[in-house]
C-alpha cells in the first residue's frame, strides 16, 4: 500500500514541478522550499501513525542520539536536497513522464544489480513480473520517443527545431 502511495505522490510531485516551472516566476530553490514545507505535515502524520516518530524520539531521549546519528541525519538531509534538486532540474528540462520512465528503468537496473551482487537467491514471482513489466514499458517508451524524433526530423527536412 505504501508503494502505491509513493508512486502516486511521486507522479503528482513531478507534474507539480513541471507546471510550477512553466507557470510561475519561482526559482528552483524557492520551489524546493515550498514543496518541503508542504510535505512536512503528511510525512509527520505518516511517521506518527507508523510509530517511527515515537521510536525516534525515544531513541534520542534515552541518550542514544550520538554524533554519528546526527551526522547520518545531516548527510541524509543533504542527499535528500540534492536528489530533490536533480529531480526538479530533470523534470523542468524534460517531461514528467520521461522522468518517471527513466526512474522506473533505474529501479529495474538497481534490482538486477542487487540480486546479482548480494545473491539473495530469491526473487518472488511478483517481483520478477513487476521488473519485466517495468523494463518492457521503459523500452517501449524509448522506442516511441525515438520514432517521434525521427519522424519529426524527417518532416522538417533533417532540421530539428526546439
Amino acid at each position: 500500500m505504501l508503494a502505491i502511495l509513493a508512486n502516486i505522490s511521486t507522479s503528482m510531485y513531478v507534474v507539480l514541478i513541471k507546471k510550477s516551472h512553466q507557470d510561475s516566476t519561482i526559482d528552483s530553490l524557492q520551489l524546493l522550499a515550498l514543496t518541503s514545507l508542504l510535505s512536512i505535515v503528511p510525512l509527520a502524520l505518516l511517521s506518527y501513525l507508523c510509530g517511527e516518530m515515537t521510536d525516534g524520539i525515544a531513541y534520542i531521549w534515552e541518550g542514544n542520539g550520538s554524533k554519528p546519528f546526527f551526522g547520518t541525519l545531516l548527510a541524509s538531509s543533504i542527499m535528500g536536497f540534492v536528489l530533490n534538486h536533480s529531480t526538479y532540474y530533470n523534470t523542468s528540462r524534460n517531461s514528467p513522464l520521461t522522468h518517471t520512465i527513466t526512474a522506473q528503468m533505474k529501479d529495474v537496473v538497481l534490482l538486477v544489480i542487487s540480486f546479482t551482487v548480494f545473491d539473495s537467491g530469491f526473487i518472488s514471482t511478483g517481483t520478477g513480473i513487476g521488473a519485466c513489466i517495468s523494463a518492457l514499458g521503459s523500452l517501449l517508451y524509448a522506442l516511441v520517443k525515438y520514432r517521434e524524433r525521427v519522424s519529426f526530423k524527417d518532416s522538417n527536412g533533417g532540421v530539428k527545431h526546439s
Side-chain angles (χ1 to χ4, degrees), residues 1-68:
M1 181 65 177
L2 289 179
I4 292 170
L5 288 174
N7 287 334
I8 290 170
S9 64
T10 301
S11 299
M12 290 171 41
Y13 178 65
V14 294
V15 169
L16 171 75
I17 288 172
K18 189 67 171 183
K19 290 285 186 187
S20 298
H21 180 71
Q22 292 173 344
D23 299 340
S24 72
T25 58
I26 297 176
D27 71 351
S28 63
L29 293 179
Q30 290 172 333
L31 183 63
L32 287 173
L34 179 64
T35 56
S36 295
L37 289 174
L38 292 173
S39 301
I40 288 174
V41 173
L43 288 176
L45 180 64
L46 182 64
S47 176
Y48 177 75
L49 292 175
C50 292
E52 293 174 358
M53 184 179 287
T54 53
D55 290 346
I57 291 170
Y59 181 80
I60 293 169
W61 191 258
E62 292 171 358
N64 295 325
S66 60
K67 288 181 183 179

Side-chain angles (χ1 to χ4, degrees), residues 31-145:
L31 183 63
L32 287 173
L34 179 64
T35 56
S36 295
L37 289 174
L38 292 173
S39 301
I40 288 174
V41 173
L43 288 176
L45 180 64
L46 182 64
S47 176
Y48 177 75
L49 292 175
C50 292
E52 293 174 358
M53 184 179 287
T54 53
D55 290 346
I57 291 170
Y59 181 80
I60 293 169
W61 191 258
E62 292 171 358
N64 295 325
S66 60
K67 288 181 183 179
F69 170 78
F70 288 110
T72 304
L73 180 65
L74 178 64
S76 177
S77 299
I78 290 170
M79 291 305 297
F81 172 78
V82 169
L83 178 65
N84 278 335
H85 195 273
S86 63
T87 298
Y88 171 82
Y89 183 77
N90 184 20
T91 305
S92 65
R93 299 287 184 240
N94 301 303
S95 73
L97 181 60
T98 301
H99 174 77
T100 303
I101 295 296
T102 52
Q104 287 294 328
M105 197 60 203
K106 173 204 53 115
D107 290 343
V108 169
V109 170
L110 288 176
L111 181 71
V112 170
I113 289 171
S114 68
F115 279 116
T116 304
V117 171
F118 298 113
D119 192 32
S120 67
F122 176 74
I123 299 175
S124 70
T125 305
T127 301
I129 291 171
C132 289
I133 290 171
S134 183
L136 180 64
S138 297
L139 292 173
L140 288 174
Y141 178 74
L143 179 65
V144 168
K145 291 300 275 185

